[in-house]
Amino acid sequence: MRQVALTVNGMRHELELEPRELLVYVLRDRLKLTGTNVGCDTSSCGACTVLVDGESVKSCTVLGVQADGAEITTIEGLAANGSLHPVQQAFHDHHALQCGYCTPGMVMAAVSLIEHGEATSEAAIREGLEGNLCRCTGYHNIVAAVQDAAGAMGRAR
Amino acid sequence: MSATTERPRLAVGRIGERLPREDAVPKVTGEFSYASDLSTPGMLWGDTLRSPHAHARVVSIDVTAALGLPGIHGALTHEDVPGKKLYGLEFADQPVLAIDRVRYVGEPVALVVAEHPEQARRALEAIVVEYEPLEPVVDMERALEQEPLHPDRPTMGHGYRDDRRPNVVRHLVIRHGDPDIAGDVVVTGTYELGIQDQAFLGPESGLAIPDGEGGVDIHVATQWLHVDRDQVAPCLDLRPEQVRLHLSGVGGSFGGREDLSMQIHSALLALHTGRPVKMVYDRAESFTGHVHRHPARIRCEHRATRDGRLTSVRMQILLDGGAYASSSTAVASNAASFGLGPYRVDNALIETTAVYTNNPPCGAMRGFGAVQTCFAAEAQMDQLAAELGLDPVELRLLNALEPGDSLPTGQVIEGSLPTREVIRRAAALPVPDQETLPRDPLRLPGGTGNTTTGEGIRRGVGFALGFKNICYSEGFDDFCAARVVLHADGSAVVHSAAAEVGQGVVGVMLQVARTELGTDEVTLAPHTTATVGSAGSTSASRMTWMAAGAVRDACRAALEERERRGGGEVDVERVHRHPRTTPLDPETGQITGERAHVALAVAAMRVVVEVDVELGLTRVVWVGTAQDVGKAVNPLALEGQIEGGTAQGLGLALMEEIVTRNGAIQNASFTDYLIPTALDMPPVEIELVEVPEPDAPYGVKGVGEPPTVVSTAAIVSAMRAATGRPLTRAPVRPDDICL
């Protein structure tokens, strides 16, 4: 077992982890943050995307111990003071989800894309979200939502 | 005057408005609880031992070693199933746990239950099963001559044509007019489709909790709570009311949750241990844990006059149903009934056979038989247009099936079917100009691969038309219950077991209730079998129609009841039924009453592709579609259905196929089974055609399936135009389009 310190959504957690434990199960099973979903187990679908030190990461392919000392943001950490994050609001408004299973990962990937200044065009957003699969929407409304959110976040700066 | 003026005021979120999802906030914040998130104190974990053989005799199963491992609370085999040993959606031909024979790779053989999922996995490895491998039946044509996999022929004697050939699940012959009648031109073709997976993002999961009185509560992601209950209870030797099914969050379904997965298994383990038991499939297990879209081989001969009128069509449709019947008999009926496409054809012979093999079981997937035959029929129409030198759109307009015409089953179309209108509207959508070279590699076939500068690109424009039925068919006693509780303060609660799987029926029910009750103060109770009657299945594009009808009827009855009583709280349940259907005649395939199908919906699609004929790669550039929707309840949600349905058809056209070898799936992961990404999907321009369905509440039609039916055919049509190749197989492979 290894002693690991993670800061998740602003809260510090000290955990004893087995070195083989995947970050996604640390979040889901130990910290009960079940908003992050597991869709494929092979880092293909992106449903488990979270931010590790501001970078979007598929948490099914990161070991918990690798995240020692990191700041992690999950979907539960986005909405502040009861109001939705602009990306969450845009997904809501644009009908950018149906079953919603991909949504937490898709939202986190989009937040990272926008914050890195890479959501500059429809094509760039499509390329940036290529690693996040959605089976319901056909992506059109997701891309529109991210474009909208990128605009809103740009104006807010 | 109009109905709305009689109501006290107009609520927000009525029928016809563009509305965000009712569950959008919990889904964007991560609070929404999916079946995989279920948890309860004292919970144990179940796991499933599955057959490594496509076909084998089970000689012995020894669980002794597993029982001795740490954390293990039990290991069960078929001997531990207290009630019926077989179950099935329509025919009980599938063992809860394998008895003396396994018929597909991945068939459940034994169960274990442990404190921790990893202990359960270890225990599976300790179970010793002795198999005697048998030759697997893996070719759907040879299946008709090989040893029968179900010698007791479980699907026979249900009003279907008696067919003595081995491994026939259903043989259906539709004979219409004089199929031998001549034409001036004849085109023939043989078409094939691979196995498609629903690939919903949320793998199967469920939690069974014993109630302490011999019964069990099962929380699960499913499409039809009550039919699950009715399959589970007899196997547990319990009365239906002792088994309560509750819907947990569903991560997509597309037909793949119509059959049971772990419902019986988790309940067996929960009752065995007296503790809550959770089961979760991983992605690889999910590929064997649900049925798939039937692979098909379809032979066609189309005859027409010189001026392009179809005179006769012959089709032979072969569908591989895999190891168990699931819904193969109904898929066969749909493939046959809609095999000709939405065209008026006075003479036809359509022979359809669904067979048992040792391949993965196939059943419901979005489009349900119509996808496969649309692909074949539309390729034939393109070939006919080329043969006659006619414009493909004109040929389709000339032969369009309209109200007053007959289906090949003899059913006269009395409801709405604006075939010509959807053709015209889709054909009128302007196609984008070809982008110049050089250009961003992302806008070339192959996209991120960045392997070419685009010299090998050929552009093609394709067109297709597709249709299918709305609601269940052939005499199925289909109904949907809803219960409305009207409180004294004017607020209301709607109870319904209609499964929300992502399609948005929750929103539809609330829109209907708000419209009918004239108040915003409407909430939905949890979906469960415990408080309300069956809603039927979320499938066959039926739930918008059926749930809207049931909620409407219950709301109106509640208002009347309150009026009668002069106020106070009222609680009423109503059952909605669509017009009755009757079975097809087993010998002729003709209707035996007014109709075998309730209603129809048609869609047309125009597609632009670019094929890089040097690389064998395709980029779908643009999709324009017109869809017959009856009445758009929520246009925002409806457009989402069309875009998503188109994406699944694109997948089948270009990349999606479960590959098997001797019956074993070779690509059970999202690394090897590819589904479309954001880069694969083009913009989809949508025209909604609203011609109300006279028999449906508010004139609605279901909208989920037609875009999936038509899009594979339309995309491959464009690829044929680009390459000049016949492209008779979906998905199209790179080798097929390298010139």
Side-chain angles (χ1 to χ4, degrees):
Chain A
M1 298 293 260
R2 280 267 306 272
Q3 190 74 26
V4 170
L6 306 176
T7 303
V8 182
N9 302 331
M11 200 186 288
R12 190 178 154 86
H13 298 271
E14 300 206 348
L15 301 166
E16 292 251 309
L17 298 184
E18 289 186 50
R20 66 203 179 94
E21 278 182 78
L22 295 170
L23 178 59
V24 68
Y25 292 108
V26 175
L27 296 171
R28 285 180 56 84
D29 296 344
R30 291 184 178 258
L31 304 182
K32 307 297 178 200
L33 294 169
T34 54
T36 303
N37 291 322
V38 178
C40 71
D41 326 291
T42 51
S43 71
S44 308
C45 81
C48 63
T49 304
V50 299
L51 303 185
V52 177
D53 292 332
E55 297 290 331
S56 74
V57 160
K58 291 179 177 176
S59 61
C60 76
T61 31
V62 175
L63 297 168
V65 294
Q66 285 177 291
D68 189 13
E71 295 252 359
I72 294 163
T73 309
T74 71
I75 191 71
E76 290 92 344
L78 273 193
N81 308 320
S83 63
L84 297 178
H85 183 280
V87 176
Q88 292 173 316
Q89 187 66 49
F91 270 61
H92 172 280
D93 297 347
H94 286 268
H95 191 72
L97 62 141
Q98 290 178 27
C99 87
Y101 200 84
C102 74
T103 306
M106 198 69 84
V107 166
M108 298 313 290
V111 167
S112 165
L113 203 65
I114 294 169
E115 287 186 344
H116 284 72
E118 290 166 10
T120 51
S121 66
E122 186 203 322
I125 292 167
R126 285 184 183 271
E127 187 182 13
L129 296 180
E130 193 214 12
N132 289 73
L133 298 177
C134 170
R135 190 55 161 169
C136 297
T137 66
Y139 303 101
H140 179 82
N141 292 342
I142 292 174
V143 174
V146 177
Q147 276 184 295
D148 186 7
M153 288 166 72
R155 283 192 297 278
R157 284 214 175 93
Chain B
M1 289 302 292
S2 77
T4 47
T5 56
E6 295 165 13
R7 302 194 188 288
R9 68 192 180 86
L10 298 181
V12 177
R14 287 162 299 135
I15 290 171
E17 292 182 33
R18 292 178 76 85
L19 300 168
R21 292 186 63 88
E22 295 288 338
D23 55 12
V25 170
K27 282 182 173 175
V28 300
T29 57
E31 290 162 56
F32 189 84
S33 179
Y34 293 95
S36 45
D37 300 334
L38 293 164
S39 176
T40 194
M43 182 174 87
L44 300 172
W45 294 81
D47 210 338
T48 314
L49 183 71
R50 294 176 180 275
S51 166
H53 298 285
H55 193 197
R57 204 179 316 284
V58 180
V59 179
S60 63
I61 308 172
D62 185 354
V63 300
T64 320
L67 289 170
L69 290 174
I72 298 302
H73 287 253
L76 308 183
T77 69
H78 66 92
E79 290 177 356
D80 303 298
V81 178
K84 293 194 170 161
K85 308 274 186 186
L86 302 177
Y87 76 97
L89 186 59
E90 294 178 12
F91 308 95
D93 66 348
Q94 185 157 5
V96 174
L97 293 166
I99 301 166
D100 53 0
R101 203 205 270 230
V102 287
R103 295 182 180 83
Y104 73 100
V105 174
E107 176 155 0
V109 175
L111 304 169
V112 296
V113 57
E115 298 279 341
H116 191 278
E118 292 180 19
Q119 292 170 327
R121 261 202 300 280
R122 283 293 164 96
L124 293 182
E125 292 167 13
I127 296 175
V128 181
V129 185
E130 190 186 337
Y131 295 101
E132 188 183 302
L134 302 167
E135 189 195 349
V137 175
V138 292
D139 181 278
M140 56 178 133
E141 307 226 21
R142 286 193 60 214
L144 294 166
E145 296 153 7
Q146 288 176 290
E147 181 209 356
L149 299 171
H150 296 267
D152 50 340
R153 305 166 76 230
T155 61
M156 294 297 152
H158 293 272
Y160 303 136
R161 189 184 183 89
D162 190 30
D163 190 320
R164 294 270 152 198
R165 289 174 297 172
N167 296 314
V168 171
V169 179
R170 183 176 183 183
H171 181 53
L172 173 62
V173 177
I174 295 177
R175 183 178 286 275
H176 180 56
D178 175 13
D180 293 327
I181 206 159
D184 300 325
V185 292
V186 180
V187 295
T188 60
T190 299
Y191 303 91
E192 287 191 355
L193 296 100
I195 312 176
Q196 188 178 20
D197 187 58
Q198 294 82 354
F200 40 72
L201 261 265
E204 290 85 346
S205 184
L207 172 66
I209 307 174
D211 66 8
E213 296 167 8
V216 63
D217 287 87
I218 305 171
H219 300 258
V220 70
T222 182
Q223 293 178 229
W224 186 356
L225 291 162
H226 286 77
V227 85
D228 283 8
R229 179 197 65 185
D230 294 346
Q231 291 174 85
V232 172
C235 297
L236 301 177
D237 200 22
L238 294 176
R239 296 187 307 279
E241 62 273 19
Q242 291 179 284
V243 178
R244 289 158 302 271
L245 268 285
H246 311 278
L247 190 71
S248 57
V250 183
S253 58
F254 318 116
R257 298 189 209 267
E258 219 178 71
D259 293 77
L260 298 182
S261 53
M262 86 291 287
Q263 283 90 328
I264 304 173
H265 296 163
S266 58
L268 281 172
L269 294 171
L271 292 169
H272 177 77
T273 57
R275 305 241 318 243
V277 174
K278 184 175 179 182
M279 298 183 84
V280 184
Y281 293 177
D282 64 14
R283 181 54 58 185
E285 188 170 21
S286 178
F287 269 94
T288 52
H290 60 257
V291 297
H292 311 288
R293 187 189 301 293
H294 290 71
R297 194 169 299 151
I298 304 168
R299 296 187 175 87
C300 307
E301 182 187 290
H302 282 56
R303 300 179 187 178
T305 60
R306 179 61 55 198
D307 62 1
R309 285 187 191 278
L310 289 166
T311 54
S312 115
V313 176
R314 286 166 174 270
M315 290 183 101
Q316 285 182 322
I317 304 161
L318 193 55
L319 300 162
D320 185 348
Y324 295 101
S326 180
S327 49
S328 285
T329 57
V331 171
S333 169
N334 263 27
S337 296
F338 311 112
L340 304 182
Y343 304 111
R344 185 181 157 170
V345 185
D346 293 334
N347 308 290
L349 179 63
I350 307 166
E351 297 170 88
T352 305
T353 312
V355 297
Y356 284 123
T357 65
N358 293 116
N359 289 319
C362 289
M365 183 176 172
R366 197 175 194 169
F368 203 76
V371 168
Q372 293 91 325
T373 41
C374 180
F375 175 70
E378 290 302 285
Q380 287 285 102
M381 292 301 279
D382 278 354
Q383 207 187 328
L384 191 60
E387 182 75 22
L388 293 165
L390 285 175
D391 177 80
V393 174
E394 288 303 319
L395 180 70
R396 287 169 170 89
L397 275 173
L398 183 67
N399 289 286
L401 187 73
E402 288 273 328
D405 293 338
S406 294
L407 294 170
T409 55
Q411 178 173 340
V412 177
I413 295 158
E414 290 173 346
S416 109
L417 189 70
T419 306
R420 288 200 183 92
E421 180 69 6
V422 298
I423 297 173
R424 288 197 193 100
R425 295 269 288 274
L429 288 168
V431 166
D433 293 333
Q434 185 156 12
E435 295 164 54
T436 52
L437 293 172
R439 60 170 104 132
D440 182 343
L442 284 179
R443 302 192 70 78
L444 293 170
T448 48
N450 196 11
T451 45
T452 171
T453 47
E455 297 82 356
I457 286 180
R458 305 240 181 123
R459 177 178 158 111
V461 180
F463 194 88
L465 199 54
F467 82 144
K468 88 171 282 292
N469 55 330
I470 305 294
C471 300
Y472 277 24
S473 301
E474 281 203 88
F476 192 91
D477 181 23
D478 197 17
F479 62 90
C480 180
R483 182 176 149 209
V484 170
V485 181
L486 217 50
H487 295 301
D489 65 0
S491 67
V493 179
V494 176
H495 293 261
S496 164
E500 169 63 51
V501 299
Q503 86 283 33
V505 73
V506 160
V508 170
M509 290 191 286
L510 287 171
Q511 282 176 277
V512 169
R514 288 171 187 147
T515 302
E516 291 294 331
L517 300 173
T519 175
D520 299 344
E521 305 302 318
V522 184
T523 52
L524 268 183
H527 305 302
T528 171
T529 61
T531 62
V532 64
S534 174
S537 181
T538 293
S539 47
S541 297
R542 68 181 278 288
M543 204 45 112
T544 293
W545 173 326
M546 299 301 286
V551 173
R552 179 196 64 182
D553 297 352
C555 285
R556 290 181 181 175
L559 290 174
E560 278 171 24
E561 179 66 13
R562 187 171 66 183
E563 182 79 21
R564 198 180 61 77
R565 288 200 207 166
E569 182 170 311
V570 295
D571 181 346
V572 300
E573 183 165 336
R574 286 292 178 275
V575 168
H576 183 78
R577 281 189 154 80
H578 57 61
R580 296 301 291 257
T581 61
T582 55
L584 294 172
D585 182 276
E587 294 309 313
T588 63
Q590 296 297 294
I591 48 170
T592 53
E594 266 184 27
R595 50 179 137 191
H597 298 291
V598 176
L600 305 166
V602 61
M605 188 171 281
R606 198 175 190 203
V607 173
V608 179
V609 301
E610 287 183 341
V611 179
D612 189 318
V613 297
E614 293 174 358
L615 295 173
L617 295 171
T618 300
R619 170 182 168 233
V620 180
V621 175
W622 176 88
V623 171
T625 186
Q627 185 169 327
D628 154 36
V629 302
K631 162 74 185 168
V633 178
N634 177 355
L636 188 60
L638 206 165
E639 289 158 10
Q641 284 290 303
I642 293 176
E643 287 153 3
T646 301
Q648 293 182 4
L650 182 148
L652 180 58
L654 296 181
M655 63 190 84
E656 290 187 35
E657 181 173 9
I658 288 183
V659 178
T660 60
R661 187 179 298 150
N662 278 330
I665 298 177
Q666 303 296 301
N667 55 339
S669 76
F670 282 168
T671 326
D672 298 317
Y673 182 93
L674 302 181
I675 66 173
T677 70
L679 278 178
D680 295 310
M681 269 305 285
V684 179
E685 274 191 51
I686 297 169
E687 293 276 318
L688 301 182
V689 176
E690 297 190 72
V691 180
E693 174 61 37
D695 289 324
Y698 315 106
V700 301
K701 287 187 181 183
V703 298
E705 292 174 289
T708 306
V709 171
V710 75
S711 47
T712 304
I715 290 165
V716 180
S717 167
M719 294 170 74
R720 281 187 206 106
T723 61
R725 290 277 178 92
L727 305 184
T728 55
R729 187 185 192 282
V732 177
R733 293 171 288 206
D735 282 355
D736 303 332
I737 48 174
C738 275
L739 301 185

